[in-house]
Amino acid sequence: MGKKKKQQQSSDDVVAPDDPEAMINLGEFAYEAGDLDAARAWYEQAAALGDAKAMYNLGTVLEERGDTNSAREWYLKAAEHDDAAAIRALGVLAD
């Protein structure tokens, strides 16, 4: 089993299923480490709980991967929760 896989599994064991802040923190850690797959997975879990920051971060990962249509959808969802960063990102995508 690879180190990243083992790290994510051990993280899964310590994060409560209703703790989007912890999921976002782990997503940011993965993102900064260059592991976009793990970052996306953590952000998706937190976004499913209705967290606007996770929705924005998920949009960022998707945009970085070149999936601007999906990124726009997540930015819109975050903007509906008044996330200022998502509103700015939508403006940039519109240009």
Side-chain angles (χ1 to χ4, degrees), residues 30-70:
Y31 182 84
E32 290 175 15
D35 188 350
L36 296 182
D37 291 332
R40 180 180 179 171
W42 285 116
Y43 294 150
E44 284 175 339
Q45 289 181 54
L49 296 173
D51 190 282
K53 183 176 180 181
M55 294 173 191
Y56 166 75
N57 288 353
L58 181 54
T60 300
V61 169
L62 293 166
E63 184 177 5
E64 190 167 316
R65 289 193 153 177
D67 188 353
T68 55
N69 290 331
S70 294

